[in-house]
Amino acid sequence: MSDMQPPGRRKSRGLIPVDPAIEMYMRTLVTPTDHPALAEMEAFAQQKNFPIVNRLAGVFLETQAKMINAKRIFEFGSGYGYSAYWFAKAVGADGRVICSDADAVNRERAEKYLTAADLWQRIEFNVGLAQDVFARTEGLFDICYNDVDKGDYPEIWRMAKRRIRPGGLYIADNVLWYGRVALEDFQGAEQGSTKAIMEHNRLIFNDPDFDAFINPTRDGVIVARRK
């Protein structure tokens, strides 16, 4: 990769996919989505340095789900329910978001926040390894959403892709991984995760059964539609 980068764009740990000023402007446009429960979830993430998709990606997830009239969504890695908040809004009162997370405390937090948002009744929250929960959950899904440990991304893709109905979506967060995927010479503690994400992305874009695109907002969200 060329070393010719705009000033301030190259970081020791990677690259900034979208200029912060642009994301700040975009953030001003989504203030109608404000909700007290959502504000609490975002404040908790900031205080505890807990990774969430954040508001812009959340609005994007909700929009994608609504565009295909999604009613059944599986989440690989749900944290304390931030992405589930957006999906639950999209599926409506007759929809279902099946969550998975290994930490029982995250389930308790999710119940608190999503109850306050009047969305908990649309959630099935399973405590355990996402792959195990998925394996024992039957049927097809409108959306499979992946936000587990990055080293597991290729495995999750292989598991999920045949369980998505035609016209349904596979969505994964962090597919630009702070721009590390664009640095061919990247070295560091995240090298293994970076290689796994690069393999994951290649598998998706080379799969003839899916159409795919990466939205670079925040840390990159891939959307792949099953044909």
Side-chain angles (χ1 to χ4, degrees):
M1 179 176 177
S2 170
D3 288 331
M4 296 179 63
Q5 296 290 335
R9 296 289 292 160
R10 187 161 189 148
K11 302 291 185 181
S12 59
R13 69 174 186 171
L15 304 168
I16 302 173
V18 177
D19 192 289
I22 293 176
E23 290 206 345
M24 187 176 297
Y25 165 71
M26 293 169 65
R27 178 64 180 80
T28 66
L29 298 177
V30 297
T31 53
T33 62
D34 287 348
H35 188 282
L38 190 61
E40 284 190 38
M41 297 173 87
E42 291 169 347
F44 180 85
Q46 186 172 14
Q47 292 164 8
K48 302 297 184 180
N49 196 28
F50 193 105
I52 59 174
V53 298
N54 287 339
R55 188 76 65 97
L56 294 179
V59 172
F60 180 70
L61 296 180
E62 180 185 2
T63 302
Q64 293 297 300
K66 285 181 174 178
M67 286 175 67
I68 65 164
N69 193 32
K71 294 298 179 184
R72 192 169 193 249
I73 297 174
F74 188 93
E75 286 196 342
F76 291 86
S78 296
Y80 57 84
Y82 187 84
S83 55
Y85 171 95
W86 299 99
F87 283 134
K89 287 181 62 182
V91 299
D94 58 339
R96 202 73 173 162
V97 182
I98 302 171
C99 298
S100 61
D101 197 88
D103 190 341
V105 174
N106 282 335
R107 185 193 185 282
E108 294 174 6
R109 292 194 182 102
E111 182 174 6
K112 169 192 169 186
Y113 292 131
L114 297 177
T115 298
D118 196 25
L119 295 172
W120 184 246
Q121 66 274 18
R122 305 177 187 184
I123 303 293
E124 178 186 321
F125 202 111
N126 301 272
V127 177
L129 184 69
Q131 292 93 318
D132 293 342
V133 175
F134 186 72
R136 63 175 182 258
T137 304
E138 298 180 350
L140 295 177
F141 299 95
D142 298 305
I143 296 175
C144 284
Y145 174 70
N146 179 11
D147 196 9
V148 297
D149 291 340
K150 308 316 163 192
D152 293 338
Y153 267 34
E155 176 191 5
I156 298 299
W157 161 249
R158 292 185 178 100
M159 290 183 69
K161 69 175 191 172
R162 301 193 188 283
R163 300 277 304 277
I164 298 169
R165 55 101 167 159
L169 305 177
Y170 172 87
I171 304 177
D173 189 30
N174 302 116
V175 297
L176 296 180
W177 204 220
Y178 299 99
R180 298 183 186 108
V181 295
L183 298 175
E184 295 179 2
D185 60 346
F186 176 77
Q187 302 289 327
E190 299 292 344
Q191 188 175 18
S193 295
T194 302
K195 288 182 178 179
I197 292 174
M198 292 175 72
E199 178 188 0
H200 166 265
N201 296 347
R202 282 194 301 268
L203 288 170
I204 294 171
F205 276 89
N206 289 332
D207 195 311
D209 294 329
F210 285 80
D211 299 311
F213 178 75
I214 293 176
N215 176 350
T217 298
R218 185 179 159 270
D219 195 26
V221 180
I222 197 168
V223 178
R225 174 188 174 274
R226 187 169 185 181
K227 297 177 182 177

